[in-house]
């Protein structure tokens, strides 16, 4: 999912989302199973326009809804079959909530590079208690509960490997301020079990063309029984804003024994607030669609 800030849009942003399902055969050839695309215009976090391709859905009814405070619920109420089917269109709209929040990091990052004094530590919105990285006493917080400026921003290597061009769908080239959220979910059978391998990354463009800076990154591997019951979870943190964020995987075992299809509910029940990480929660929630993918394996 890509976010850009076109000139003349009075601070609004354009969000372009793409999704692809594909089957890799034993000879490494790729069989397309489905594609979807989303285009949305946001005013702050309010959806002013949204359209989906490859889906026969009238999304005009979603205009005027806050992407972080009701879009997921409204979409599920209007189009309940999309969530049940684990459709790509549902995943794209579901991901708009987190993307609309984290993408604000990019304009602030560019502004801070141009003028380091423009975004000082605090005062700011109180973040204490929002997530495990901002738990009380965290070094990521200032006295009073506002967050410190993130000390950890690193350059990222390209996502697409030269020897596996089909490993990702086409990623748009963008200049200027540009935020990107990507996720890859691969599944395969191992006897009677399923192995799930997921890579999640938030990144921002940098003023020096062609460079991308990492914001959030997780690698996750899940083993599930044939009936979808989770047997094991292993999370590998990558680039994260604060050292305190690296505690995010500590409570993942609470999801053991949960059915994959119920993760969107279970994650929000057991890993809210300081029990979890907003972004790792998004990773785990998205794995609720794995059973729909597994049914398409030969």
């Amino acid at each position: 999912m890509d976010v850009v800030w076109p000139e003349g849009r009075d601070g609004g942003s354009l969000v372009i989302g793409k999704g692809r399902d594909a089957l890799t055969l034993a000879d490494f050839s790729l069989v397309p199973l489905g594609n979807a695309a989303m285009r949305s215009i946001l005013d702050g976090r309010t959806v002013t326009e949204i359209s989906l391709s490859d889906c026969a859905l009238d999304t005009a009814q979603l205009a005027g809804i806050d992407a972080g405070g009701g879009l997921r619920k409204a979409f599920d109420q209007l189009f309940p079959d999309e969530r049940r089917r684990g459709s790509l269109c549902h995943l794209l709209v579901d991901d708009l909530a987190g993307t609309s929040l984290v993408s604000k990091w990019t304009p602030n990052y560019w502004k801070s590079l141009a003028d380091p004094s423009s975004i000082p530590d605090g005062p700011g919105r109180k973040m204490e208690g929002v997530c495990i990285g901002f738990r009380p006493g965290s070094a990521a917080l200032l006295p009073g509960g506002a967050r410190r400026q993130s000390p950890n921003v690193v350059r990222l290597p390209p996502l697409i490997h030269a020897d596996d061009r089909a490993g990702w769908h086409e990623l748009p080239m963008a200049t200027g301020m540009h935020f990107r959220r990507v996720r890859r979910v691969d599944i395969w059978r191992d006897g009677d079990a399923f192995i799930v391998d997921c890579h999640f990354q938030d990144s921002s463009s940098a003023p020096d063309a062609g460079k991308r800076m990492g914001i959030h990154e997780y690698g996750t591997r899940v083993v599930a029984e044939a009936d979808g019951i989770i047997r094991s979870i292993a999370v590998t943190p990558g680039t994260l804003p604060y050292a305190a964020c690296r505690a995010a995987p500590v409570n993942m075992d609470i999801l053991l024994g949960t059915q994959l299809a119920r993760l969107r509910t279970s994650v929000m029940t057991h890993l809210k607030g300081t029990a979890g990480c907003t972004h790792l929660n998004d990773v785990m929630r998205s794995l609720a669609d794995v059973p729909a993918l597994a049914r398409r394996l030969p």
Side-chain angles (χ1 to χ4, degrees):
M1 191 166 291
D2 294 85
V3 185
V4 295
W5 289 263
E7 292 184 13
R9 198 170 284 284
D10 299 326
S13 57
L14 171 64
V15 185
I16 302 294
K18 288 186 176 182
R20 180 190 71 176
D21 289 339
L23 176 67
T24 304
L25 300 179
D27 63 359
F28 298 104
S29 60
L30 206 66
V31 179
L33 298 178
N35 291 278
M38 180 190 71
R39 182 182 186 276
S40 179
I41 296 175
L42 302 181
D43 180 5
R45 295 187 73 189
T46 301
V47 177
T48 59
E49 296 179 27
I50 184 169
S51 60
L52 293 162
S53 65
D54 303 292
C55 308
L57 305 176
D58 179 12
T59 55
Q61 302 170 79
L62 298 175
I65 296 175
D66 187 284
L71 183 65
R72 288 169 172 167
K73 182 179 179 180
F75 186 86
D76 285 346
Q77 289 175 339
L78 290 168
F79 315 111
D81 287 344
E82 298 300 307
R83 178 174 178 172
R84 283 196 290 266
R85 293 192 302 110
S87 75
L88 286 169
C89 288
H90 172 265
L91 180 60
L92 290 173
V93 174
D94 187 85
D95 226 5
L96 192 55
T99 299
S100 64
L101 174 65
V102 184
S103 62
K104 295 189 292 184
W105 188 91
T106 294
N108 287 337
Y109 172 62
W110 279 58
K111 187 177 180 181
S112 69
L113 291 177
D115 179 7
S117 66
S118 63
I119 309 178
D121 280 339
R125 183 168 71 94
K126 185 175 180 178
M127 300 297 290
E128 187 178 49
V130 168
C131 62
I132 198 166
F134 292 140
R135 60 194 182 276
S138 170
L141 295 170
L142 293 165
R147 67 177 180 86
R148 297 185 185 276
Q149 282 286 63
S150 170
N152 185 34
V153 181
V154 301
R155 296 194 184 278
L156 296 172
L159 278 172
I160 297 177
H161 294 271
D163 58 351
D164 185 21
R165 294 288 180 182
W168 291 91
H169 57 64
E170 182 181 355
L171 298 173
M173 295 295 293
T175 58
M177 289 193 304
H178 173 252
F179 170 88
R180 173 172 287 159
R181 168 167 287 192
V182 298
R183 72 176 76 238
R184 169 190 53 75
V185 180
D186 287 338
I187 66 170
W188 62 91
R189 286 197 179 96
D190 183 15
D192 292 333
F194 289 105
I195 310 297
V196 184
D197 185 81
C198 177
H199 176 220
F200 170 94
Q201 183 188 89
D202 287 333
S203 68
S204 172
S205 63
D208 43 346
K211 302 296 185 182
R212 298 203 66 80
M213 311 305 293
I215 307 170
H216 307 105
E217 192 170 32
Y218 287 107
T220 306
R221 178 163 288 209
V222 172
V223 179
E225 305 289 355
D227 59 2
I229 297 294
I230 297 174
R231 182 197 302 169
S232 68
I233 303 172
V235 178
T236 304
T239 298
L240 293 170
Y242 305 97
C245 298
R246 305 192 77 79
V250 71
N251 291 324
M252 286 296 105
D253 282 358
I254 201 169
L255 298 176
L256 296 180
T258 300
Q259 285 193 330
L260 285 164
R262 296 179 180 173
L263 278 175
R264 283 197 169 88
T265 301
S266 298
V267 166
M268 301 311 292
T269 299
H270 299 299
L271 295 171
K272 59 185 177 182
T274 56
C277 162
T278 304
H279 314 290
L280 183 53
N281 285 357
D282 269 349
V283 173
M284 298 306 299
R285 288 178 68 259
S286 71
L287 301 187
D289 295 333
V290 165
L293 294 173
R295 288 193 291 270
R296 306 180 77 175
L297 284 170

